[in-house]
Amino acid sequence: MISSRTVRAVVQRVSEASVRVDGAVVGSIGPGLVVLLGVGCGDAEADADYLAEKVLNLRVFPDEAGQMNRSVLDVSGGLLVVAQFTLLGDVRKGNRPSFVDAAPPEAASALYETFCAALRAKGLPVGTGVFRAHMDVELVNDGPVTLLLDSRRLFQEDPTVADCIFCKIVAKQIPAKVVYEDAEVLAFEDLNPQAPTHLLVIPRKHIATLNDLAAEDEALLGKLHRAGAAIARTRGIAGSGWRAVMNVNRDAGQSVFHLHLHVLGGKPMGWPPFPAA
Ligand code: 5GP
Ligand code: ZN
């Protein structure tokens, strides 16, 4: 059974929306998405990040042919995020909803902020309500188009996340010695180091190999390399020398199919990197 404790969102496509507190408008958007967000007990940042990424990429806006093909990113739409703990309400017993599955306010507020920050990082206009205030939410649902999202359901059923060891490290489901992380990349110590310094820099997003890189990932690849160089400086090997390696597929020795940049250094390394035939 799917746990009822999870970050949940009701996403509505709107032509306009606003939130008022005590009669004053505190957040408003034009065309875009209204996200009612509920945080469950035991939710982690990975749930909020995952759901934010999902919301940003939901294809619910029409293309020229009138098909639902464009995301809020594609149409530069607005986002209005309103905290809504009643989404965690459980009405299986009796008729009075129980909220024992909702996260306590401090934890919920932190993940609500994480979620909003992930949206803002994309440069879209993001409006919000006021956490725990009584709010009047007004919106014009365009369609109507309304979707129900559930982070753990998405997470657990996403075959890449379920099967990929590095996605599990991103999701903090398995431990790693993380030395750097930001919204897009993560760097950690290699479990089986081949040099005095051996770190792996990976994108949060699952990309299997360099062969699978899309045009939209060009900037991300640059970030991986810049993060690698920053780590090399921190480790004091930028001047002596270090190697950036990406193995692609079997003959190159790729064993984990989630893109990763090896940062190797701290000793002289040979070239070519393979034994002579
Ligand atoms: P590849 O052979 O795919 O280029 O590199 C995969 C690297 O990931 C290897 O150097 C291996 O030691 C490392 N690795 C594999 N599993 C784990 C893990 O669970 N944790 C960490 N920190 N490194 C791992
Ligand atoms: Zn992965």
Side-chain angles (χ1 to χ4, degrees):
M1 200 192 76
I2 287 155
S3 165
S4 55
R5 303 175 177 200
T6 174
V7 178
R8 284 181 179 171
V10 171
V11 181
Q12 303 181 71
R13 186 178 76 183
V14 300
S15 49
E16 59 178 325
S18 63
V19 191
R20 279 176 290 128
V21 175
D22 293 331
V25 173
V26 294
S28 68
I29 56 166
L33 299 173
V34 167
V35 181
L36 300 176
L37 191 76
V39 179
C41 264
D43 280 325
E45 282 203 1
D47 293 284
D49 283 335
Y50 191 84
L51 207 61
E53 196 62 27
K54 202 78 196 176
V55 166
L56 286 163
N57 291 294
L58 280 178
R59 300 205 296 181
V60 290
F61 294 93
D63 61 14
E64 292 86 0
Q67 301 289 327
M68 282 207 221
N69 253 331
R70 293 194 171 137
S71 67
V72 69
L73 280 170
D74 294 334
V75 303
S76 301
L79 289 145
L80 186 63
V81 187
V82 179
Q84 174 81 122
F85 79 96
T86 64
L87 285 171
L88 277 299
D90 184 347
V91 288
R92 285 173 298 186
K93 268 195 205 148
N95 294 316
R96 187 167 185 274
S98 153
F99 298 112
V100 294
D101 289 339
E106 303 73 43
S109 164
L111 291 192
Y112 172 78
E113 292 302 334
T114 301
F115 181 85
C116 292
L119 302 181
R120 282 198 189 98
K122 301 292 179 182
L124 296 178
V126 176
T128 61
V130 175
F131 197 77
R132 298 186 82 183
H134 181 272
M135 296 179 269
D136 295 303
V137 181
E138 214 165 355
L139 60 88
V140 179
N141 191 320
D142 170 24
V145 173
T146 303
L147 289 159
L148 182 60
L149 306 179
D150 173 323
S151 69
R152 274 183 228 173
R153 189 171 203 161
L154 290 165
F155 230 179
Q156 287 168 358
E157 291 177 4
D158 184 331
T160 53
V161 178
D163 300 340
C164 173
I165 192 138
F166 287 177
C167 279
K168 286 185 179 154
I169 288 177
V170 169
K172 307 266 153 68
Q173 289 172 354
I174 63 169
K177 287 187 190 151
V178 174
V179 299
Y180 173 79
E181 66 181 309
D182 63 27
E184 284 148 308
V185 313
L186 191 74
F188 51 88
E189 304 276 356
D190 195 292
L191 201 56
N192 182 20
Q194 302 299 316
T197 297
H198 187 177
L199 296 132
L200 301 171
V201 190
I202 71 169
R204 285 183 185 276
K205 172 181 170 184
H206 181 88
I207 301 171
T209 83
L210 211 45
N211 291 332
D212 304 295
L213 207 67
E216 66 183 36
D217 303 323
E218 279 175 7
L220 183 59
L221 202 66
K223 281 209 74 173
L224 283 190
H225 284 84
R226 282 177 48 84
I231 290 162
R233 278 193 293 278
T234 309
R235 293 296 170 108
I237 55 169
S240 53
W242 60 286
R243 187 168 285 167
V245 176
M246 267 191 202
N247 296 321
V248 182
N249 277 344
R250 190 194 55 219
D251 278 0
Q254 185 175 8
S255 60
V256 177
F257 288 81
H258 179 128
L259 197 70
H260 51 281
L261 178 73
H262 293 265
V263 171
L264 294 148
K267 68 170 187 185
M269 287 168 280
W271 191 265
F274 39 81

